[in-house]
Amino acid sequence: MAAPTYHDLVEKTSRDLPKFQDLLQFLYEFDWIHNFFTTRFFVDEVWRHVPEEWHSVLVAMSVEELNNLPFEFHQDKPHFPDSLRRFIQMSHQLSLLRDQVNILEKKAIDPNMKRGMSPKKLHEVTNMSAVVKETAAKAGCDVIVDVGSGLGYLGQVLHVSYGYSVVGVEGCSGHVERAERRSAKQDLQNGCICNVTFNLEQTREHLNTFQDRVSEAVRNLKPCVHSQTAVNNSCQVDSKLISEKDTKCQAGALSPDVSPNLDNINSRKHVSPERSCGNCVCVLKDVTDNTAGAVLNVSRMWSSGNESTHTTLNLHDNDNQQEHPESGNVPVPVYSAEERRVCMIGLHCCGDLTPTMLWYFLHMSTIQSLCLVSCCYHKMSFTEESNSFNCFPLSENCQTVYSDLKQQHRSWSLRPVSFRLAAQETRSRWRTQTEADHDTHVRHVAYRGLLELFFMEAEITQLDRKVIRKADFSTFDAFSESIITGLDVSREVRADYLCHLQELYIRHKPHFCYVEIITCLQVLVQPVLETLLQLDRHAYLVEHGVVSELVPIFQENISPRNIALIANKH
């Protein structure tokens, strides 16, 4: 039997999707697992928060049992206390699917273009370029705007392999210069790839400037004959791509006095800014249902049994499939300057960049589709005075539930340290940890935790992080020596410090076993935190009438941030 399509799985499981109420209540109840700094493990005595009935079960687990815990169902552990089984069950139910969908029509990347790419980057570029092609084709886009384009790897592949003209937007001028040099080495200086230095910020002034800069870049782009060349080549992964004689685009430049129609921020009549959160303008609409399921097209992580469910990504609707049964053979459309349609993309959009891109997407009518992968959630702007993020929650749905919960528990809120966990490794890599890996992790966490406690008790200024990172973690004595020698103190004071550290080590050595126990519990909470953020961003778009999906497009053991937010205005 053929694997179900992504949309088949969505339809089957949409009624079981998590609610924001359940997500936030879970994160409040188990706040002690995610809301602390690892370096304060001993300062905060984190292990004391573990429920009493959990202790004996968790401490007795072998390395193999601990590795497998995030993958097991609560019913597989009848000897576990009910509260622990409930925790495991909820962590599964409140997490999005992470198994990579079956992406059709991926193309192999030319060996010359692979240069400089790590295996991880190659995996990401190969898969995301195919997904972007599907997304852009559905919206009829012929121009890609790659935000945070870096050295241009993704844009260059989209140009050569899929026939798109590309505007790279990068905040670091050094990266732009290196991207230009890389394009030159690839013989891609043909007017079909343009790089712009610009930092996106969520203000009207920056939005207007962005429109002007992108308008100019798009106006000067040439239509691309790679479009037809890419179509004529086989879509098989091992196929030869474009011959050398086809690598230069021959079409003439667009007339310089013709500007594409990039509308102003009030162009879309159903988008109206209604409230401002610090530097973040949030655009809201009413929704009647308080469930994430009402606004989400994603599939559940857990199928019956332990087998992964494989799905197929095909973003074309039925009408498009009938018109073009072989979508890979449809050339990229070429529009006049007034008609050119943009697909905005971003690979590893850090911190506030994703919320900012969503805002730009809603306010620029020329941008018809969107495909982005987020990362570094903990780097979102956070205001200590109000104890809140500037751009979370984005959706009115999540905002209502979150505000109500904070009203009930006035001392509680989600903080950057929790979203740091959301941006860390997923369970796939946890399962492969060896006993030596666990031992190394325990030493790093425990030794740094003892150092933090030492700094607090000795009332001394902490060392530079670089000194700590270079410390010797082989044994605690070696670690202590490498740290204390970096302090500008007398020999007598240094000896006292070493004795103090040794006393802390003896006092807390019995608690070292809780490092991996707490880490395992964090592995179970991590996808719930990331699910909350992804659902909120998805709901924000849906509240404004935008069709969107959350799709796992990478293998999570290769690229942990593997969920793409894909949106289409029509």
Side-chain angles (χ1 to χ4, degrees), residues 103-106 124-146 154-155 157-159 162 164-166 313 315-316 332 342-347 369-373 553-554 564-567:
I103 300 172
L104 301 176
E105 300 170 359
K106 286 188 291 187
E124 292 168 344
V125 170
T126 300
N127 286 280
M128 187 161 180
S129 60
V131 172
V132 169
K133 182 263 181 185
E134 287 284 319
T135 303
K138 182 174 182 179
C141 298
D142 66 323
V143 176
I144 306 296
V145 172
D146 182 10
L154 180 57
V157 170
L158 283 165
H159 172 57
Y162 294 98
Y164 285 98
S165 299
V166 179
L313 176 64
L315 300 179
H316 290 286
V332 173
V342 171
C343 174
M344 183 163 66
I345 68 172
L347 176 57
S369 59
L370 177 78
C371 180
L372 61 84
V373 177
I553 65 173
F554 307 138
L565 176 57
I566 301 172

Side-chain angles (χ1 to χ4, degrees), residues 101-113:
V101 297
N102 181 21
I103 300 172
L104 301 176
E105 300 170 359
K106 286 188 291 187
K107 293 187 178 183
I109 296 177
D110 184 271
N112 289 329
M113 301 194 70

Side-chain angles (χ1 to χ4, degrees), residues 375-547:
C375 69
C376 303
Y377 308 113
H378 59 289
K379 293 185 179 181
M380 292 191 298
S381 301
F382 184 81
T383 304
E384 290 289 346
E385 292 76 13
S386 61
N387 203 28
S388 62
F389 291 91
N390 290 352
C391 293
F392 171 82
L394 285 178
S395 68
E396 188 175 61
N397 195 347
C398 187
Q399 174 66 45
T400 299
V401 177
Y402 187 50
S403 296
D404 289 346
L405 190 60
K406 290 204 296 181
Q407 284 292 322
Q408 298 171 31
H409 311 283
R410 293 186 178 275
S411 63
W412 178 81
S413 69
L414 291 167
R415 298 179 59 81
V417 66
S418 294
F419 288 160
R420 177 182 288 275
L421 176 60
Q424 290 182 357
E425 297 285 359
T426 62
R427 62 181 188 146
S428 64
R429 294 188 184 179
W430 171 261
R431 194 173 205 170
T432 63
Q433 295 292 292
T434 65
E435 190 166 354
D437 293 331
H438 285 295
D439 180 64
T440 298
H441 184 252
V442 168
R443 281 187 279 109
H444 277 74
V445 172
Y447 293 178
R448 294 188 68 172
L450 290 175
L451 184 63
E452 184 81 9
L453 183 59
F454 164 73
F455 285 147
M456 185 188 73
E457 292 187 357
E459 298 181 347
I460 62 175
T461 304
Q462 296 188 22
L463 292 175
D464 185 274
R465 285 188 176 185
K466 293 181 180 179
V467 176
I468 299 174
R469 283 199 296 267
K470 294 179 180 178
D472 185 349
F473 284 88
S474 59
T475 67
F476 189 70
D477 287 341
F479 175 79
S480 300
E481 287 285 352
S482 62
I483 291 296
I484 297 305
T485 53
L487 298 176
D488 186 16
V489 295
S490 67
R491 181 176 301 177
E492 292 76 13
V493 172
R494 188 175 300 167
D496 289 342
Y497 283 170
L498 288 172
C499 288
H500 191 169
L501 280 166
Q502 188 63 31
E503 186 275 326
L504 292 177
Y505 176 80
I506 295 171
R507 186 200 312 172
H508 287 291
K509 185 66 166 66
H511 302 130
F512 281 21
C513 63
Y514 289 103
V515 171
E516 294 304 83
I517 289 173
I518 297 295
T519 303
C520 182
L521 298 178
Q522 288 187 325
V523 170
L524 282 156
V525 171
Q526 183 278 327
V528 180
L529 284 160
E530 190 166 14
T531 293
L532 173 66
L533 287 161
Q534 295 284 6
L535 294 187
D536 175 51
R537 294 167 178 185
H538 180 278
Y540 173 64
L541 292 177
V542 173
E543 286 172 358
H544 294 89
V546 175
V547 176

